[in-house]
């Protein structure tokens, strides 16, 4: 199914073709390539506004995920009833914020990929509100990023490492 990748900002560069390739590999590693997915790259102003509206937080952030299917248990795939239900949801990447948070030798494109992975896991019911939930999410992110690293020759680490 479709992968929609939109860049609605001009604050930092986004290489859409390589990001699209990595997103396709992530979808395959998660077994969700038959589901539609939208990934939207936005600046600090836009992600801050969305974060304020939906999470009551007046600050920019790295990623916001809006699942199409609610109440999915972590690790379970959605069970669509109709063709229109083959949709995972939307991920907003705060690419300007992500770029600003990169440290020293961190590769922005790699961190963007890791952040998208984190967002995808949220669409699949993973959360990190408790240590037990975080453990599940961390393990899934680690598994998927190890597969992606093997395919791309990178060394990607989960975004949520060290959270608890």
């Amino acid at each position: 199914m479709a992968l929609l990748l939109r860049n609605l900002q001009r604050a930092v560069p986004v290489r859409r073709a390589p990001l699209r390739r990595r997103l396709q590999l992530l979808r395959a590693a998660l077994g969700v390539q038959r589901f539609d997915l939208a990934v939207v790259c936005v600046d600090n102003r836009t992600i801050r506004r969305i974060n304020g509206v939906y999470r009551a937080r007046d600050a920019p952030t790295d990623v916001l995920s809006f699942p199409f299917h609610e109440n999915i248990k972590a690790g379970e795939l959605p069970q669509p009833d109709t063709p229109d239900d083959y949709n995972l949801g939307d991920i907003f990447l705060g690419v300007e914020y992500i770029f600003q948070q990169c440290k020293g030798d961190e590769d922005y494109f790699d961190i963007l990929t890791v952040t998208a992975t984190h967002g995808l896991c949220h669409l699949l019911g993973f959360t990190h509100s408790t240590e037990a939930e975080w453990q599940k999410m961390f393990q899934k992110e680690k598994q998927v990023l190890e597969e992606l690293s093997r395919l791309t020759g990178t060394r990607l680490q989960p975004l949520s490492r060290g959270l608890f």
Side-chain angles (χ1 to χ4, degrees), residues 16-113:
R16 288 190 315 177
L19 181 57
R20 175 179 295 282
R21 282 192 295 276
R22 285 194 178 179
L23 289 168
Q24 295 288 31
L25 291 170
L26 288 171
R27 290 171 68 209
L30 286 163
V32 295
Q33 60 270 45
R34 68 179 192 249
F35 289 88
D36 291 335
L37 171 65
V39 177
V40 183
C41 299
V42 296
D43 58 19
N44 280 349
R45 184 179 58 81
T46 303
I47 199 84
R48 178 182 180 173
R49 190 175 68 244
I50 297 167
N51 202 18
V53 169
Y54 291 97
R55 297 179 63 221
R57 294 189 180 164
D58 186 27
T61 190
D62 53 358
V63 62
L64 293 171
S65 298
F66 297 93
F68 183 83
H69 299 273
E70 297 182 12
N71 303 318
I72 295 177
K73 292 182 180 161
E76 292 183 6
L77 295 182
Q79 300 300 314
D81 294 323
T82 69
D84 289 341
D85 291 340
Y86 279 86
N87 188 341
L88 287 181
D90 304 321
I91 297 172
F92 287 82
L93 292 173
V95 295
E96 182 179 5
Y97 182 84
I98 293 166
F99 183 82
Q100 292 168 344
Q101 298 302 308
C102 286
K103 297 175 181 75
D105 63 344
E106 288 181 324
D107 181 87
Y108 159 68
F109 184 58
D110 286 348
I111 300 301
L112 197 58
T113 303

